[in-house]
Amino acid sequence: MAIPYFKKVDYLFNTKGYIRPDIREMYELLINYYKTKENPKLQLYYIDQLLKADRILNETFKYLVGKINKEYQTQELLLEKEKIQQLLDRKNSSYSTLITFTSLLFFSFLLLTFRYYRNRKLYKKNYDELMQKNYRTEETTKPRQRAEKPAILDINPETVAHILKQLEKFEKEKKFLERDMNLSKLSATFNSNPRYLSNIIRHYRDKVFTEYINDLRIDYVLELLQTNKKARLFTNKALAEEAGFSSTQLFVNVFKAKTGMPTAFFIEQIKKESL
């Protein structure tokens, strides 16, 4: 009940400089009160006020001050002040760390949210463009059309024609789904020179061998996901094995590089269109 009156006296001390020896105990009571309330800020404030009051009292009422029974001596006040200041510094440091950590989390969340919606917008654009090309079921079942190209000068035309015919059969029969398919293995199957086969694929398919095989496999997966509802339940690992990829990560990387979206997004859009 006395606290509001004590604060009025403190106000007069701050504004008018009014202080008497018998008022000094008020500050000791306030220090003890806020100590019990675990309020170090106000405790520190009233310690400073008591130290200030003691300086004035020592100058003005030197004789009377010596007769006052002091609970807090100057040295004790300074030690108490140092302890409280250290406690406040630790709290402020912890609070600053918490604020910094919370801010980082918040901005990370904003960044991730922005990237998520930006990526989805980009994926949708890539999906629409992809579906306008030759990945619709009715389009992928049509015979592959190939533009006329000039002959390769350093390879016999008959050899070129023979290999092209074998490539068409290879594509039609989906032999590219065989695991660990490589240039040496395919050239041995065609009974051809690996260099010839590589040059023919580069010239007539406009791709290096690895890209040629990977594109065929991704085209197969795209058609499979559009025509087979059960395939849409496959994991990336199952799709990678189905398409003949040597690893799940390779399949994920190649699929995204070719289509501009992850498999999950493509399947999600296919499901929406089939509703």
Side-chain angles (χ1 to χ4, degrees):
M1 292 173 64
I3 296 299
Y5 299 100
F6 288 168
K7 288 185 176 182
K8 285 182 180 179
V9 174
D10 180 59
Y11 173 76
L12 289 174
F13 178 45
N14 283 330
T15 57
K16 308 293 185 181
Y18 179 77
I19 189 71
R20 297 197 319 261
D22 57 318
I23 294 176
R24 183 188 185 280
E25 186 183 3
M26 174 197 76
Y27 284 113
E28 293 182 340
L29 292 171
L30 285 169
I31 291 168
N32 289 331
Y33 174 76
Y34 285 109
K35 188 174 184 178
T36 61
K37 294 297 182 181
E38 297 183 354
N39 189 331
K41 285 186 178 181
L42 285 177
Q43 192 181 348
L44 185 61
Y45 168 75
Y46 287 116
I47 286 176
D48 283 335
Q49 289 295 88
L50 181 52
L51 287 169
K52 180 180 173 182
D54 278 347
R55 284 196 299 272
I56 296 172
L57 290 172
N58 283 328
E59 293 173 0
T60 311
F61 303 98
K62 189 173 183 180
Y63 174 76
L64 289 174
V65 169
K67 303 290 185 180
I68 296 174
N69 182 25
K70 297 179 182 179
E71 181 180 347
Y72 289 104
Q73 299 295 335
T74 301
Q75 191 60 35
E76 292 174 349
L77 284 172
L78 290 173
L79 290 173
E80 188 72 11
K81 177 181 176 180
E82 185 177 352
K83 284 170 55 180
I84 295 172
Q85 189 63 58
Q86 289 175 355
L87 175 64
L88 287 174
D89 289 343
R90 285 197 298 271
K91 282 188 174 181
N92 288 337
S93 177
S94 300
Y95 181 72
S96 297
T97 302
L98 179 62
I99 290 295
T100 302
F101 180 69
T102 304
S103 298
L104 286 174
L105 279 180
F106 177 70
F107 285 116
S108 297
F109 173 76
L110 287 180
L111 179 61
L112 289 173
T113 303
F114 169 76
R115 289 181 61 184
Y116 172 77
Y117 286 105
R118 182 196 64 184
N119 287 343
R120 284 191 67 84
K121 185 177 179 180
L122 178 61
Y123 295 159
K124 186 62 170 68
K125 177 176 175 289
N126 292 337
Y127 175 83
D128 292 339
E129 291 176 356
L130 183 68
M131 300 306 282
Q132 288 173 5
K133 294 179 182 179
N134 62 337
Y135 294 125
R136 294 286 186 185
T137 304
E138 59 270 23
E139 292 177 358
T140 52
T141 55
K142 292 179 181 178
R144 183 185 297 271
Q145 299 296 321
R146 188 174 67 249
E148 290 295 329
K149 289 204 171 189
I152 303 177
L153 297 178
D154 60 343
I155 304 178
N156 186 298
E158 292 183 0
T159 301
V160 172
H162 176 67
I163 290 178
L164 286 175
K165 187 174 181 180
Q166 287 182 306
L167 281 175
E168 289 178 358
K169 183 180 178 183
F170 171 77
E171 294 166 8
K172 185 177 180 180
E173 295 178 355
K174 295 181 172 54
K175 297 291 186 180
F176 51 82
L177 296 178
E178 291 182 15
R179 197 175 179 86
D180 301 323
M181 177 59 66
N182 56 49
L183 183 62
S184 298
K185 186 175 180 180
L186 187 60
S187 61
T189 303
F190 288 0
N191 194 24
S192 171
N193 183 303
R195 185 174 66 84
Y196 283 2
L197 177 59
S198 176
N199 288 341
I200 290 169
I201 290 173
R202 184 183 289 109
H203 186 74
Y204 288 98
R205 297 295 189 264
D206 297 312
K207 299 168 186 176
V208 297
F209 179 78
T210 302
E211 183 184 3
Y212 167 69
I213 294 296
N214 286 342
D215 280 0
L216 287 172
R217 288 170 172 173
I218 295 301
D219 286 348
Y220 169 79
V221 170
L222 290 169
E223 182 179 350
L224 180 69
L225 291 173
Q226 290 176 77
T227 58
N228 189 331
K229 290 185 178 180
K230 290 183 179 179
R232 298 169 196 167
L233 303 176
F234 286 5
T235 62
N236 281 333
K237 182 179 180 181
L239 288 171
E241 291 176 354
E242 178 72 19
F245 281 94
S246 58
S247 74
T248 304
Q249 192 58 53
L250 177 61
F251 164 70
V252 169
N253 293 342
V254 173
F255 187 96
K256 189 171 183 180
K258 181 171 173 60
T259 65
M261 74 195 83
T263 52
F265 186 86
F266 182 82
I267 293 172
E268 177 189 327
Q269 296 303 307
I270 289 293
K271 286 180 177 179
K272 284 181 180 178
E273 290 190 356
S274 63
L275 292 177

